[in-house]
Each structure stands twice: as structure tokens, then as C-alpha cells.
């Protein structure tokens, strides 16, 4: 059973507000992208990686993969306008005989094999996909124009992270069918859900922090 990872790194990083795409902002000695590249390469579960680079950053992406010795990188493709388009570009380079596709945000640099194993185990239970989730620490309310509408049942709500694992043909079909509002989806599970797929949840990982704002970047630098 071959497992392919699609590492999406093509976002602009507008909320971070640096002079370059988020994947190329420095984390330690190297650009942020080096960390997930190295970690996916070291994974016991992942056979090959497709990296989705920001437009015009394909060459630095390939050079960085070489620099960190990421020998599992099979292809580097150019991303699109939305995350969904970037995933689509990456998945297009995954060969048809791949069994599982794991999609991961480069913006979550500290991916670790524990979560990857939990996802793959969940797929073996007959699901179309699996996602890591965390309970919400805060009370959650629905708000409209600054006014509380209702308090939601927190126990039924989860924060969802990446990596997310999918049965390869199911993800391909969901990407083919994604149009309209779905093209703005912030994760791939939403596409598979909309196509009627069953998604399992597994325990997430606090260390899968997503670097979105300058404060997140400071925290990630501290963790490194
Ligand atoms: N992503 C992508 N292609 C896009 C948009 C996002 O590959 N067109 C990737 C990002 O590189 C990131 C992940 O999807 O690894 C999650 O996106 P997000 O955290 O929103 O990153 P950005 O879109 O870069 O940030 P912002 O929304 O602040 O511009
Ligand atoms: Mg974004």
C-alpha cells in the first residue's frame, strides 16, 4: 500500500504580512518549509511527497528539498489561487496506483509520525478519510453583527488540523466535483464530506500549531 503526501505550501501568507510567502519565512536557520519537508521525509509511513510551491518559488522549493535531503520528494508543482486548487495541482502528480493521499499544510511545521499513524489506522477501519481533532478549550457562541445568538454545545464541536488522510480515489473524485462555495473550503475533508464520504476523527496534536499570524510565528520559533 503506497502512501503519498501532498504538502501544500503555495499560500501567500497575507495574515503573516511578510515580504515573501509564508513557506519561505525563516523559522530557525532555514525557511519554515524545511521543517515539514524534513519531517515528512523521515516518516515511517510516507513513501513519496509532492510539494506544492507558490508561483515563482518552484526553484527555491526544489533547492530547499535538496538542502534538507528530502529524498522522497517526487515532484514540485505550482499552486493555485485557493487552497483547493493547490491541493488539486498536487494530487494531479500523484500516480494512479497510490492507495492513500495525506494532505498537509506546510503552515503546520511540526508534523509528527504519531498523528500519521493514527490517521492511517483509522483509514484501515473502512473510512474514506480521517482528520486529527482537538477539543475546544473555550465556550463557543454563534454571533451575528456583534450580538450573541446562542451558545453552542461545545462537546459536539472540534477544531480540525492537518495532516488529513484519504483513500486516494475518493479524494480525487471529491476534488473533481468541488465547485462554487466548495472551492473556498479550508480543508479537504469538507470536499469529501460534501461528496457523501465518511470521515473518521483521530486525536490531534497541540504541536500541529498552524502559523497564521506573527504571534504564531514567534511561538513556532520558540518551539524549534
Ligand atoms: N495554501 C496553498 N495555496 C493557496 C492557499 C493556501 O497551498 N492558494 C496552503 C498554505 O500554503 C498553507 C495552507 O494551505 O500551508 C493553509 O493556508 P493558510 O494558513 O491560510 O496560508 P496562507 O493562505 O498562505 O495564509 P493567508 O490566508 O494569511 O494568506
Ligand atoms: Mg489562506
Amino acid at each position: 500500500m503506497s502512501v503519498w503526501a501532498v504538502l501544500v505550501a503555495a499560500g501567500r501568507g497575507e495574515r503573516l504580512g511578510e515580504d515573501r510567502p509564508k513557506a519561505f519565512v525563516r523559522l530557525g536557520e532555514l525557511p519554515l518549509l524545511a521543517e515539514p519537508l524534513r519531517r515528512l521525509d523521515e516518516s515511517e509511513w510516507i513513501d513519496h511527497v509532492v510539494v506544492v510551491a507558490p508561483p515563482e518559488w518552484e526553484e527555491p522549493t526544489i533547492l530547499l528539498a535538496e538542502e534538507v535531503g528530502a529524498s522522497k520528494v517526487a515532484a514540485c508543482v505550482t499552486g493555485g489561487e485557493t487552497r483547493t486548487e493547490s491541493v488539486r495541482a498536487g494530487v494531479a502528480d500523484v500516480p494512479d496506483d497510490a492507495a492513500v493521499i495525506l494532505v498537509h499544510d506546510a503552515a503546520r511545521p511540526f508534523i509528527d509520525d504519531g498523528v500519521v499513524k493514527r490517521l492511517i489506522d483509522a483509514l484501515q477501519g473502512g473510512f474514506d478519510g480521517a482528520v486529527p481533532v482537538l477539543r475546544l478549550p473555550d465556550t463557543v457562541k454563534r454571533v451575528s453583527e456583534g450580538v450573541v445568538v446562542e451558545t453552542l454545545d461545545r462537546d459536539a464541536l472540534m477544531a480540525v488540523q492537518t495532516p488529513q488522510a484519504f483513500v486516494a480515489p475518493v479524494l480525487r473524485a471529491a476534488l473533481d466535483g468541488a465547485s462554487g462555495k466548495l472551492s473556498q473550503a479550508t480543508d479537504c475533508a469538507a470536499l469529501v464530506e460534501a461528496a457523501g464520504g465518511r470521515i473518521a476523527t483521530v486525536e490531534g496534536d497541540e504541536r500541529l500549531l498552524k502559523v497564521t499570524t506573527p504571534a504564531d510565528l514567534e511561538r513556532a520559533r520558540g518551539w524549534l
Side-chain angles (χ1 to χ4, degrees), residues 7-17 21-23 52-53 79-87 104-108 186 210-212:
L7 180 61
V8 285
R12 278 196 281 266
E14 271 165 12
R15 288 167 289 180
L16 199 56
K22 182 154 70 187
V52 186
E81 257 317 295
T82 63
R83 184 183 186 279
T84 303
E85 279 177 34
S86 293
V87 172
H104 184 57
D105 292 334
R108 300 180 191 271
T186 53
K210 179 158 163 290
V211 175
T212 306

Side-chain angles (χ1 to χ4, degrees), residues 137-165:
D138 299 312
T139 301
V140 183
K141 296 185 193 289
R142 189 194 308 281
V143 175
S144 173
E145 290 169 8
V147 179
V148 172
V149 178
E150 63 172 331
T151 301
L152 299 171
D153 174 13
R154 188 179 58 187
D155 289 339
L157 297 168
M158 300 276 163
V160 179
Q161 305 177 309
T162 76
Q164 300 186 345

Side-chain angles (χ1 to χ4, degrees), residues 8 11 13-16 22 27 32 83 104-111 134 160-162 186-187 205-220 223:
V8 285
E14 271 165 12
R15 288 167 289 180
L16 199 56
K22 182 154 70 187
L27 190 57
L32 182 145
R83 184 183 186 279
H104 184 57
D105 292 334
R108 300 180 191 271
F110 304 114
I111 179 174
L134 289 179
V160 179
Q161 305 177 309
T162 76
T186 53
D187 79 348
D205 187 341
E206 298 283 356
R207 290 166 298 181
L208 283 169
L209 160 77
K210 179 158 163 290
V211 175
T212 306
T213 64
D216 299 328
L217 183 61
E218 274 319 299
R219 192 133 66 103
W223 288 5

Side-chain angles (χ1 to χ4, degrees), residues 24-165:
F24 285 91
V25 168
R26 253 168 212 286
L27 190 57
E29 302 273 280
L30 292 172
L32 182 145
L33 179 58
E35 191 69 19
L37 267 177
R38 186 179 58 74
R39 286 167 174 259
L40 287 174
D41 206 71
E42 285 170 0
S43 169
E44 190 185 322
W45 304 96
I46 292 164
D47 300 305
H48 306 283
V49 179
V50 175
V51 189
V52 186
E56 326 240 310
W57 288 79
E58 299 84 353
E59 205 172 312
T61 300
I62 293 165
L63 292 174
L64 185 63
E66 281 170 7
E67 188 176 348
V68 302
S71 57
K72 291 180 186 171
V73 172
C76 171
V77 302
T78 311
E81 257 317 295
T82 63
R83 184 183 186 279
T84 303
E85 279 177 34
S86 293
V87 172
R88 200 178 269 136
V91 167
D93 261 52
V94 174
D96 285 340
D97 63 2
V100 171
I101 301 178
L102 189 114
V103 181
H104 184 57
D105 292 334
R108 300 180 191 271
F110 304 114
I111 179 174
D112 140 308
D113 246 1
V115 72
V116 177
K117 179 179 189 317
R118 291 196 287 281
L119 293 166
I120 299 207
D121 283 349
L123 282 193
Q124 267 149 9
F127 286 90
D128 296 306
V131 299
V133 299
L134 289 179
R135 296 192 162 279
L136 301 170
D138 299 312
T139 301
V140 183
K141 296 185 193 289
R142 189 194 308 281
V143 175
S144 173
E145 290 169 8
V147 179
V148 172
V149 178
E150 63 172 331
T151 301
L152 299 171
D153 174 13
R154 188 179 58 187
D155 289 339
L157 297 168
M158 300 276 163
V160 179
Q161 305 177 309
T162 76
Q164 300 186 345

